[in-house]
Each structure stands twice: as C-alpha cells, then as structure tokens.
Amino acid sequence: MTDFSGLEFPFAEPPAYGEVQPIAEGLLWVRIPLPYLLDHVNVFLLQDHDGWAVVDTGIRTPEALAVWRSLLAGPLSGLRISRVIITHYHPDHIGLAGWFHEQQGAQLLTSLSSYALAQLISHGRSEQAVRQNFDFFLRHGMTAETAGLVAIQGKEYLLRVAPLPMTFQRLVHGDSLAIGGRNFRVLTGDGHAPEQVMLYCAEERLFLAADQVLEKISPNISVEAIEPTSDPLGHFLRSLRLIETEIPDDVLVLPGHRRPFRGLHTRCRELIRHHENRCDIILAACADRPHSAAELIPMLFRRQLDPHQMGFAFTETLAHANRLIRRGQLAIVEEHDRSLLALVR
C-alpha cells in the first residue's frame, strides 16, 4: 500500500495488543499500549542464538504488563527473552527492560547515554529538579499556574521505569551486532534522545529506526532545563542527513511508533522540511515583536494541550528557537525577568 506521501506500507494494519505480526523469518512485531495520545510503542523480536532479542519494551504500567503477560502466555509462549536491546532512555522504550532482566535474566544492551539517563530519572524526582523546571518554564513566559502543573504532572511519565540491571553491554556507533543469523551495524542519532540506537541489516535491507524516523509524525525534540542553551534540533537534522548518506532508500523501516514503511529518504526530507517550516513560523512572529517561547507555542501546536503535552510542546518550541539563535537569526533579550526572542536585524 502506498499513501499520498509516496511511502509504501507493506502491512496494512498493525497488530492488535496481544497479537503478533511476522515481518520476516525470525522477526516479529508487537505493539504495547501507552497511556497517552500516542497510544502505543512498537516492539520487535529477533530470533537469537540462545533465545530471542527484544528491541525496546514499552512503559511500566499495569496495562503494558498485562499485554506482555498475554503475549508470553499466548503467541509467544515458550520463547525465552535472552537480550533486551534498548534504543533510547525514554520510559516508553526502556520502561520494562528491568522487568525482563528480573523475570528471564535478559541481558541489557544500549548506549551509555541511554543507560545513564534512565538510571538518573528512574530514581525519582527531587524538589530541586521540580523547582529548576518551574523556574525554567516561568522565565520563558509560562504563567506560574501552568509552570507548576507542567513541572510536576508533565514529568510524571519519567518515573515509569522498572529498576534497571546493574550491568549492561554498551552499544556504540559503528559497532557490529550479531543477532541470531543476522548482522546489524549500529548507528546512533541525536536530537530526540542522546545516542539513540538504530540497527541496519544490509543483507536483508532492514532498518530499525527507533524514533528517529517515523511516518506522519515527528519525534519530540526538546530543550531541557539542565541544558537550556542546547541545540537538539540541529543534532536531529544532522542525524537525518547522516541517515540519508549511510542507509539506502529501499530499506524496510521498522520504527518505534506507527507503521513500518519504505521510502526512508523521502521521509527524512519531509521531516527536515517540517522543522524548517516551524522555524519560519517563529521568525515571522518575531519579525513583528519579541515573543517568549510560551507565546509561540499556540502558533506551532494548535490543539488543546494537557500538562504532559504542554511540557513537550514548550521544550520543542524552545528547540526551534535555539536552532535559530545558533544560526544568528534570533537573539535572547531579557525583560522583567523573562527571556524573550527577538529577530536579529
């Protein structure tokens, strides 16, 4: 099936929760529920030498655990999960890695950044971190009421990670990783998450892209309070161009959300255009007068946002602003304890 964007979708419908979709021999696709607007995460299982390797796991919620138990008692009955390969540290991907280690002794493989950041956030939220986020949101134009909601409720999802094993195998860009009879080249990308792991099997033209390249939606690109002047959008755009250079266009893309597809280079270019268009919207707004990041959010995100979504929308808006600051097109001006974004003329 081909849609209006020119992407090809070999599987018309995703598997229902608790069901399995074979992709190729020794390669399975399941979906695990998420309690958000984006209501699922894709998990891929690869037959390994002494069991099966799972790529990502889903978040630690009762609903996600119920689906896994149903799978392991039903269509995946008798499968031993020997390795868990985690693409990045976000709880919807790493949340149950520790559970698989505890239940089946599965070895954890991931990047150093993913392991370290997951360990950091899974230990809980400190009052100091809440205050830091509150001040960060306030400085960039949020009201005190909204900043308080986002600083607390908007970050609750970070706690949904099972305790991780105390040891792991590090995956580094350029590594070769054997999974059963397949050999994968490890690539890492940035922007959505530091050192996000992707896997490319040249022989079978398979590309496990994690959240770096998704159909129809763009992964969240965030500036966090601990690194307020960072340029994650610049990192993301650079990673997309690297993918175009390193990975052939005819691969089957197995993404972290939504459907597998073909048309990798087309989708990379669409994502680049999407973010460049958002930068143009911000420049047009700031040509009229300086704006805070919070004032720009409704121009980029037109739907009603809950605290969880507002946190992502704010940090992504700031990511576009920081990209424009790095380009020398915007500058920060301070006004009454607020940071405003002004056009450089």
Side-chain angles (χ1 to χ4, degrees):
M1 181 177 70
T2 302
D3 75 356
F4 65 90
S5 69
L7 302 184
E8 296 180 9
F9 300 94
F11 306 97
E13 296 293 333
Y17 300 135
E19 296 182 358
V20 172
Q21 172 66 62
I23 300 288
E25 185 177 354
L27 173 56
L28 308 174
W29 170 28
V30 302
R31 298 204 309 166
I32 304 299
L34 297 175
Y36 309 117
L37 186 62
L38 183 59
D39 62 2
H40 70 278
V41 64
N42 291 332
V43 172
F44 298 99
L45 295 96
L46 290 149
Q47 192 163 13
D48 208 354
H49 294 296
D50 58 348
W52 286 71
V54 169
V55 180
D56 290 334
T57 65
I59 199 166
R60 185 181 65 170
T61 63
E63 294 78 12
L65 282 167
V67 168
W68 269 120
R69 290 186 174 111
S70 174
L71 285 164
L72 293 169
L76 301 182
S77 178
L79 268 61
R80 174 176 173 265
I81 307 303
S82 56
R83 293 196 285 181
V84 175
I85 301 166
I86 297 299
T87 60
H88 59 294
Y89 79 98
H90 294 160
D92 56 326
H93 294 263
I94 201 172
L96 291 173
W99 180 78
F100 276 106
H101 175 75
E102 180 184 359
Q103 295 293 312
Q104 302 201 26
Q107 181 188 18
L108 172 62
L109 292 78
T110 192
S111 65
L112 177 60
S113 297
S114 296
Y115 183 80
L117 288 167
Q119 284 283 31
L120 179 66
I121 65 173
S122 64
H123 286 303
R125 183 185 57 234
S126 68
E127 290 185 16
Q128 182 182 11
V130 172
R131 184 71 208 189
Q132 182 183 25
N133 280 302
F134 176 81
D135 291 343
F136 178 58
F137 298 143
L138 205 63
R139 173 163 290 280
H140 287 281
M142 274 193 191
T143 65
E145 180 182 7
T146 302
L149 286 171
V150 176
I152 298 172
Q153 294 181 28
K155 299 292 184 179
E156 286 291 340
Y157 79 103
L158 294 174
L159 305 180
R160 295 178 173 180
V161 178
L164 294 173
M166 296 307 295
T167 61
F168 77 108
Q169 178 182 331
R170 183 181 180 186
L171 298 176
V172 179
H173 185 89
D175 280 353
S176 179
L177 179 64
I179 305 175
R182 294 181 171 97
N183 286 306
F184 291 87
R185 180 155 64 95
V186 176
L187 294 87
T188 57
D190 288 281
H192 177 63
E195 275 194 295
Q196 181 172 220
V197 169
M198 298 166 281
L199 301 174
Y200 170 49
C201 177
E203 185 178 3
E204 296 185 42
R205 286 294 202 267
L206 297 172
F207 182 47
L208 284 85
D211 284 4
Q212 204 74 16
V213 187
L214 307 170
E215 59 120 342
K216 291 189 178 179
I217 59 173
S218 173
N220 179 252
I221 313 296
S222 287
V223 172
E224 301 293 346
I226 60 171
E227 198 182 2
T229 62
S230 65
D231 182 23
L233 180 56
H235 302 326
F236 181 65
L237 298 176
R238 188 161 55 248
S239 293
L240 290 176
R241 294 184 179 105
L242 174 69
I243 288 169
E244 275 198 80
T245 301
E246 296 286 327
I247 307 299
D249 186 43
D250 63 351
V251 295
L252 176 61
V253 180
L254 303 177
H257 304 275
R258 294 185 173 264
R259 296 172 292 176
F261 65 90
R262 288 189 174 90
L264 175 65
H265 293 181
T266 295
R267 187 58 187 144
C268 286
R269 291 165 195 158
E270 287 176 347
L271 287 166
I272 291 169
R273 285 196 300 272
H274 166 78
H275 289 289
E276 294 293 354
N277 288 340
R278 291 194 156 206
C279 287
D280 289 342
I281 291 170
I282 290 174
L283 286 173
C286 293
D288 179 46
R289 63 173 177 82
H291 285 71
S292 69
E295 289 173 327
L296 294 167
I297 291 173
M299 302 179 195
L300 303 184
F301 300 89
R302 299 189 180 275
R303 67 181 184 273
Q304 190 71 28
L305 302 171
D306 62 28
H308 176 77
Q309 295 160 353
M310 178 60 76
F312 285 134
F314 171 85
T315 53
E316 179 149 330
T317 300
L318 194 56
H320 287 79
N322 281 5
R323 175 89 290 254
L324 292 167
I325 291 169
R326 291 289 181 97
R327 289 178 178 173
Q329 294 174 281
L330 288 184
I332 291 179
V333 295
E334 300 295 335
E335 181 181 282
H336 307 303
D337 296 325
R338 288 197 311 162
S339 294
L340 301 180
L341 299 158
L343 196 68
V344 174
R345 300 184 186 275

